[in-house]
Amino acid sequence: MSDPLKVTIIGSGNWGSAVAKILGINVRRHHKFDSTLRIYVYEEMVDGKKLSEIINTTHINTKYLPGVVLPDNVVAIPDIREAVKGADILLFVIPHQFVKNICAQLVGCVKSSAVGLSLIKGVDINEDGLILISSIIEDTLKIPVSVLMGANLAKEVAEEKFCETTIGCKDKKLGHILKELCQAPYFRVTVVEEVEAVELCGALKNVIAVAAGLSDGLEQGDNTKAAVIRLGLMEMIKFIEIFYPGRPKWIFLQSCGIADIIGGYCNGTNYTMTRRFMDTSKV
């Protein structure tokens, strides 16, 4: 019988902590996983105490997800190299601008047999043009990386309000394992054998959310916002077809597509930020 799979979450913001709540329960429930869930915490002082110590003693991330109790098998580790030591599955849940630096610190520390799962919505640019976050992780750490994208507002997930998500994974067997790791009664997972389109949906929906925020800020009404969203979806489809031709159109009907667009303009960070900016500009 093979050894249980060790899991580490890299990132302890509100989304990383909400995911830790789900995974902490699942790794204890399924015998194929090691029952301890490690989570890398960027060390900060909160009310005179180290954030990692607060999480490990109170089981609450008081700074980024206050009021939500994490399973007691979730262990916060402030040393990134120690956190990933021996891990078989690495979940990346950090802002996209920190990915290169984090991965550089992990070179030589990650098992060659490990796999990654990116929950990061964003893209990067290099001298050759567009580059996916999953590609940065793969190229730096030399491990295969799948993605998880969907209409998943962290606070609502932590409150166990029902939602769906999409895992893009090219390996069927691994996709099944990742589904077992991530699914909960209130967090429905669909696995598709497509990574690039799923990941780009997660990034491009932010542009549509900003446009919707501008529309509402200009008080253009629901008809205009509906048109902005529809046109944005069409541009998203065309964009992905240009960079990654031949992707199936039904991908856009998954949670990573239309559902994430809806969630983004209803209460997403980019929509809210843009709307508030517009409202402030009118003063």
Side-chain angles (χ1 to χ4, degrees):
M1 188 175 184
S2 57
D3 294 332
L5 300 171
K6 296 181 180 180
V7 182
T8 294
I9 298 176
I10 300 173
S12 58
N14 61 349
W15 186 211
S17 298
V19 170
K21 179 182 176 182
I22 296 173
L23 269 60
I25 294 172
N26 285 347
V27 297
R28 184 174 275 166
R29 176 182 298 161
H30 298 291
H31 296 304
K32 69 177 57 176
F33 302 112
D34 187 277
S35 60
T36 297
L37 174 66
R38 291 174 292 179
I39 181 168
Y40 164 65
V41 175
Y42 177 77
E43 195 69 281
E44 303 176 67
M45 299 301 292
V46 180
D47 296 328
K49 298 180 180 180
K50 294 180 179 179
L51 182 57
S52 62
E53 293 179 357
I54 293 173
I55 295 173
N56 287 335
T57 55
T58 68
H59 309 296
I60 299 174
N61 187 334
T62 54
K63 180 167 185 179
Y64 296 106
L65 201 64
V68 176
V69 179
L70 303 178
D72 59 12
N73 61 327
V74 175
V75 178
I77 302 175
D79 184 324
I80 182 65
R81 295 166 72 91
E82 182 65 27
V84 306
K85 186 177 180 180
D88 299 289
I89 302 176
L90 301 171
L91 285 84
F92 293 83
V93 201
I94 54 178
H96 72 275
Q97 63 266 31
F98 300 134
V99 171
K100 290 181 179 179
N101 178 264
I102 287 291
C103 286
Q105 296 179 59
L106 296 180
V107 172
C109 301
V110 176
K111 291 173 64 173
S112 60
S113 59
V115 297
L117 180 65
S118 173
L119 285 71
I120 302 168
K121 295 181 178 179
V123 294
D124 199 2
I125 301 292
N126 63 12
E127 60 275 9
D128 297 320
L130 178 75
I131 181 170
L132 300 175
I133 299 301
S134 62
S135 296
I136 295 175
I137 300 170
E138 285 185 336
D139 293 344
T140 307
L141 301 181
K142 311 303 180 185
I143 61 172
V145 178
S146 302
V147 298
L148 183 151
M149 304 285 156
N152 309 138
L153 298 174
K155 185 174 182 294
E156 294 186 8
V157 173
E159 293 171 348
E160 302 187 7
K161 295 178 179 177
F162 180 79
C163 67
E164 296 182 302
T165 199
T166 307
I167 288 179
C169 180
K170 296 179 180 179
D171 183 318
K172 282 187 177 181
K173 183 178 179 181
L174 175 59
H176 179 72
I177 293 173
L178 295 176
K179 181 173 182 176
E180 281 189 307
L181 178 63
C182 297
Q183 184 156 267
Y186 57 90
F187 194 69
R188 181 176 181 268
V189 175
T190 299
V191 181
V192 299
E193 293 181 60
E194 168 61 50
V195 174
E196 293 84 0
V198 172
E199 184 170 3
L200 274 174
C201 280
L204 295 175
K205 69 91 182 181
N206 291 327
V207 180
I208 300 173
V210 169
L214 289 170
S215 177
D216 279 355
L218 293 169
E219 299 179 352
Q220 291 300 297
D222 291 337
N223 289 343
T224 301
K225 182 166 67 174
V228 166
I229 293 167
R230 190 196 73 82
L231 291 169
L233 174 60
M234 297 304 294
E235 289 185 10
M236 175 191 288
I237 294 172
K238 186 175 181 180
F239 184 100
I240 293 174
E241 179 62 27
I242 290 173
F243 283 91
Y244 296 95
R247 267 43 186 185
K249 297 296 188 292
W250 54 261
I251 287 291
F252 303 100
L253 299 178
Q254 298 296 318
S255 183
C256 64
I258 186 63
D260 205 5
I261 293 173
I262 295 170
Y265 81 72
C266 286
N267 197 26
T269 301
N270 292 279
Y271 170 83
T272 302
M273 175 194 68
T274 307
R275 180 63 190 271
R276 289 179 179 173
F277 172 78
M278 294 297 291
D279 290 342
T280 304
S281 301
K282 296 174 186 175
V283 176

